[in-house]
Amino acid sequence: MTIHSDKLNQTSKSGFHYITQGFKLVTLPGIKRFVLIPLLINITLIGGAFWWLYNQLGVWIPAIMSYVPNWLQWLSYLLWPVAVITILLIFGYFFSTLANWIAAPFNGLLAEKLEAKLCGKPSADTGMVDLIKDLPRIMKREWLKLVYYLPRALLLLLLYFIPGIGQIVFPVLWFLFSAWMLSIQYSDYPFDNHKVSFGEMKRTLGQDKLRNLQFGAVVSLFTMVPFLNLFIMPVAVCGATAMWVDRYRGQK
């Protein structure tokens, strides 16, 4: 009866739940030190990038609005905030992806240590030499994610340049796409630690797509929010690792 209840409880947990768990898990004793390097990388890159973006918005918004046809100019008061959201979505995802490339070995290590703690097992004594040995495999995995991402992102970007319709539809589709990609990005660390192939990971996440879209959507929103976006990387790694332990670990 208890086992059945535990499984039911895990099944009912939403993607939002795992983000809230991530905020708690980054503060666990024995985990905090593995959060530090991903956190510093994210603060340096995302903080600097968004400071630069703030100074560029005055130039970029008029340029984007120039693609709105004259017959839709009367909607400019609605399309202007859409243009701002569009820039934040693209910019936030681009720089969070870049930060994840740089931090990938440390994010994988964080996922490994947290999983061991959540499962009540001693973690492997992983040092810098082990991280360096794993770099080729980790970078190959990041490359696979990029290859999956680029053609789909370019196709969506082309949609933006369809006058009128593109500027309205694009932000919605881009947000959903970013949510899916961020779910893949952060869930991949615990999956890759267990040598689950990229294709199999996508299929597994796709069978639980709503939960993973919820998770990725919250990460995407936090990526656009000043201050919160500085801390979201290790939080998302911890949340995705908790979801792996609850939902996917027993299947592999």
Side-chain angles (χ1 to χ4, degrees):
M1 187 70 173
T2 303
I3 295 173
H4 175 74
S5 176
D6 289 344
K7 288 183 178 178
L8 188 62
N9 187 40
Q10 290 169 10
T11 302
S12 65
K13 291 176 181 176
S14 68
F16 307 115
H17 165 83
Y18 288 106
I19 287 294
T20 61
Q21 283 296 102
F23 279 101
K24 297 174 183 176
L25 293 170
V26 292
T27 63
L28 285 179
I31 295 299
K32 287 184 282 189
R33 66 178 182 272
F34 298 105
V35 169
L36 184 60
I37 294 179
L39 184 61
L40 289 176
I41 290 171
N42 205 49
I43 288 174
T44 302
L45 189 57
I46 299 294
F50 269 80
W51 177 83
W52 178 77
L53 173 63
Y54 177 78
N55 292 295
Q56 296 298 314
L57 280 176
V59 177
W60 289 358
I61 295 298
I64 288 177
M65 292 299 293
S66 68
Y67 288 97
V68 178
N70 290 332
W71 61 274
L72 276 178
Q73 286 300 322
W74 63 277
L75 278 177
S76 59
Y77 71 96
L78 288 176
L79 294 177
W80 191 90
V82 168
V84 173
I85 291 170
T86 299
I87 289 176
L88 288 174
L89 282 169
I90 295 173
F91 198 82
Y93 182 78
F94 174 78
F95 275 95
S96 67
T97 300
L98 182 58
N100 273 288
W101 266 74
I102 297 170
F106 306 103
N107 285 338
L109 181 61
L110 171 59
E112 177 189 317
K113 300 298 182 182
L114 178 60
E115 181 182 345
K117 192 169 189 69
L118 292 176
C119 295
K121 296 181 178 179
S123 61
D125 188 16
T126 307
M128 190 57 67
V129 174
D130 299 297
L131 280 182
I132 292 171
K133 286 180 180 177
D134 281 341
L135 269 179
R137 175 180 60 80
I138 293 169
M139 290 300 105
K140 180 182 177 182
R141 191 71 166 214
E142 294 300 314
W143 173 252
L144 287 174
K145 284 182 263 191
L146 186 63
V147 169
Y148 177 78
Y149 163 77
L150 277 179
R152 292 163 177 80
L154 291 173
L155 191 61
L156 275 178
L157 285 171
L158 288 175
L159 174 64
Y160 181 83
F161 295 101
I162 299 174
I165 297 173
Q167 291 80 30
I168 296 171
V169 173
F170 172 81
V172 177
L173 295 180
W174 185 268
F175 179 76
L176 291 173
F177 175 61
S178 296
W180 174 240
M181 285 304 307
L182 286 168
S183 178
I184 285 176
Q185 178 68 57
Y186 289 107
S187 295
D188 188 51
Y189 296 118
F191 275 88
D192 187 39
N193 283 343
H194 288 267
K195 308 299 187 292
V196 178
S197 73
F198 185 65
E200 186 179 349
M201 179 201 66
K202 284 190 301 172
R203 286 190 294 273
T204 301
L205 297 182
Q207 292 166 3
D208 197 16
K209 202 157 195 174
L210 179 59
R211 191 185 320 271
N212 284 289
L213 281 173
Q214 290 171 346
F215 179 86
V218 179
V219 176
S220 187
L221 286 171
F222 282 2
T223 301
M224 294 188 290
V225 178
F227 187 72
L228 274 177
N229 56 16
L230 302 179
F231 301 95
I232 191 58
M233 181 195 289
V235 169
V237 173
C238 289
T241 303
M243 185 157 36
W244 156 267
V245 171
D246 277 357
R247 298 196 53 76
Y248 308 124
R249 188 172 183 269
Q251 302 175 21
K252 307 302 171 187

